[in-house]
Amino acid sequence: MGSMGRRRVLMAGAGALAGLATAGDAAAHPESGRRAERREFRGMWLATVANRDWPSKPGLTAARQRTELLAHLDTAVARRLNTVVFQVRPSADALWPSPYEPWSRSLTGVQGGDPGWDPLGTAVAEARRRGLALHAWFNPYRVASHTDPSLLAEGHPARENPHWVLPYNGKLYYNPGLPEVRAFVRTAMLDAVRRYDIDGVHFDDYFYPYPAAGETFDDADAYARHGAGFADRASWRRDNIDRLIREMSEGVKETRPGAAFGVSPFAVWRNASTDPLGSDTRAGVQTYDDLHADTRSWVTKGWIDYIVPQIYWNIGFAAADYAKLLPWWDDLVRGTGVDLYIGEALYKAGDPAQAAPWRDPAELSRHLTLARTYGSVRGHCFFSAKEVATDRIGAMARVVADHYPARALPPA
């Protein structure tokens, strides 16, 4: 299952990728021709929510937006990456002309405002020209960073169906417990899969919202209507997310058989103190219990093609040590056919608010060195594009120098 999603990428992109190997690469690395045959996932997330990475601010002209987008793709090439994970549905809105949801506010500053061009279509075409794989990144249930539906674009599905949404911790979310919500978000996301020759479909770590002290996600009515037969509300919630994953996986394969479907979860499924199958961690959040996302089950049941756990901690971090989570994930995927790529916290490198290891430019490179000792690890993805470009203390440059001597194809 893990290899099916990449065959079309490799066939379509191999020629372009080979053409992008520079003379400088060959001169600096005489064996670069052989090394270029190495297959590994080298990705970066390109986040659009709240203009995190792109566009640099809302309201830019279409030409300026396009120039900035292409600059990110060029940076990926310069860093010898091969995959861009492009956030195209950040908050129940779209970066393509969707018939289901409004244009994203991140483009014009006004949700529903037509930007005058097609960002996703452009990204797909321009990534292909550069030999890059393009994975479309969707957030299924986040609606807004406020709790007032009247602030959404006129005609927004959440305004038309106010019973679909719940406020929580200052934000609005679609209620995952409603079958009609799950059907709608699946349809809205598959519209992009149907329209564009994307290489993958990508979910991040947001399913049920992260817990907030003193807040209640009030889905009691939905549970009363749809929760019969479940031992408790947590079990019902996990089933809701299981259904989303399974149905989206089926939809992707029916709509675009060559595309991979992957998820990038918070890296702790459960602590071993909670469940003997869990990792040797003491994390304050566990995806199974708090986000109701049974990521371990999705791997063992083969519902996804790849998984990118966000192991966003340094080697030696007491509560969640990179060096302890890495073997846990390696062991989990072994023999399942699901590809394992590791999410890397490039954004922490050089941040004075982080622990001392993140001020060492070699910390991330050590992650990749350690990962090479685990046979199931097939690559890494860096958060995020802005830091890939600015590289505050040279941590990304160190990764490239130490581990990416030449371009490489994604896993077969």
Side-chain angles (χ1 to χ4, degrees):
M1 187 176 192
S3 63
M4 276 185 62
R6 255 72 68 196
R7 286 181 186 146
R8 184 177 51 77
V9 179
L10 299 173
M11 291 170 64
L17 183 54
L20 283 166
T22 67
D25 285 342
H29 305 282
E31 295 184 335
S32 64
R34 288 198 298 275
R35 287 173 177 170
E37 293 302 312
R38 179 184 180 85
R39 300 186 186 275
E40 63 178 325
F41 189 95
R42 300 177 182 176
M44 73 177 188
W45 281 284
L46 178 55
T48 61
V49 64
N51 298 93
R52 203 276 176 197
D53 293 324
W54 178 86
S56 59
K57 61 182 178 180
L60 299 176
T61 65
R64 176 71 181 278
Q65 290 178 5
R66 186 178 188 278
T67 296
E68 289 188 357
L69 178 60
L70 299 192
H72 282 298
L73 301 183
D74 289 338
T75 295
V77 172
R79 298 294 193 186
R80 302 191 184 119
L81 305 180
N82 57 31
T83 305
V84 174
V85 183
F86 183 32
Q87 190 175 36
V88 299
R89 186 179 182 267
S91 299
D93 50 20
L95 272 77
W96 76 95
S98 168
Y100 301 100
E101 295 178 306
W103 283 106
S104 175
R105 183 180 182 275
S106 64
L107 296 170
T108 63
V110 178
Q111 191 178 59
D114 188 339
W117 68 302
D118 181 354
L120 176 53
T122 299
V124 169
E126 293 294 334
R128 187 77 72 241
R129 285 185 57 214
R130 291 161 173 77
L132 296 167
L134 195 290
H135 289 221
W137 167 15
F138 303 89
N139 186 286
Y141 293 124
R142 181 172 55 215
V143 174
S145 58
H146 55 76
T147 59
D148 185 354
S150 71
L151 298 179
L152 300 172
E154 186 175 353
H156 193 293
R159 289 185 65 171
E160 300 292 310
N161 302 276
H163 62 287
W164 285 6
V165 299
L166 290 172
Y168 182 81
N169 194 29
K171 298 179 176 64
L172 277 180
Y173 296 90
Y174 281 130
N175 186 348
L178 299 179
E180 59 269 35
V181 164
R182 191 173 66 249
F184 170 77
V185 299
R186 180 177 179 270
T187 297
M189 292 184 289
L190 286 176
D191 178 68
V193 181
R194 184 175 297 108
R195 287 172 178 240
Y196 301 98
D197 189 23
I198 59 175
D199 301 300
V201 171
H202 187 94
F203 286 176
D204 55 21
D205 53 322
Y206 289 94
F207 296 101
Y208 279 87
Y210 277 82
E215 298 280 342
T216 300
F217 192 74
D218 190 9
D219 56 358
D221 288 346
Y223 178 49
R225 279 182 283 150
H226 302 291
F230 291 93
D232 49 37
R233 197 184 307 191
S235 300
W236 169 72
R237 286 177 173 177
R238 277 189 293 275
D239 183 70
N240 293 330
I241 304 302
D242 281 353
R243 288 173 184 266
L244 171 74
I245 297 297
R246 187 172 65 248
E247 292 168 4
M248 192 65 186
S249 178
E250 293 168 354
V252 170
K253 285 167 178 55
E254 291 167 2
T255 305
R256 189 165 296 281
F261 176 47
V263 178
S264 174
F266 182 80
V268 176
W269 171 72
R270 300 187 96 183
N271 296 319
S273 59
T274 304
D275 188 320
L277 295 176
S279 52
D280 182 13
T281 50
R282 297 186 298 280
V285 172
Q286 302 170 90
T287 59
Y288 181 94
D289 302 273
D290 297 307
L291 308 182
H292 308 289
D294 188 0
T295 53
R296 182 180 182 278
S297 180
W298 305 344
V299 171
T300 60
K301 293 179 178 178
W303 291 347
I304 55 180
D305 296 307
Y306 69 87
I307 194 159
V308 195
Q310 297 175 22
I311 311 184
Y312 283 180
W313 303 288
N314 57 275
I315 295 172
F317 181 64
D321 188 343
Y322 186 98
K324 292 181 177 179
L325 279 160
L326 191 64
W328 188 89
W329 284 101
D330 175 81
D331 181 66
L332 174 63
V333 305
R334 193 175 302 122
T336 63
V338 175
D339 286 342
L340 173 62
Y341 318 132
I342 306 301
E344 301 286 352
L346 176 61
Y347 73 97
K348 289 186 175 181
D351 182 349
Q354 299 294 332
W358 290 108
R359 296 193 286 276
D360 181 351
E363 173 67 22
L364 277 185
S365 182
R366 283 193 287 268
H367 290 193
L368 274 69
T369 298
L370 180 61
R372 285 195 187 280
T373 66
Y374 292 94
S376 299
V377 178
R378 306 197 71 195
H380 301 260
C381 196
F382 300 92
F383 192 86
S384 63
K386 183 165 61 177
E387 285 78 16
V388 171
T390 58
D391 198 16
R392 182 164 35 196
I393 59 170
M396 189 70 211
R398 181 70 175 265
V399 165
V400 174
D402 292 349
H403 301 282
Y404 299 161
R407 302 252 353 243
L409 294 170

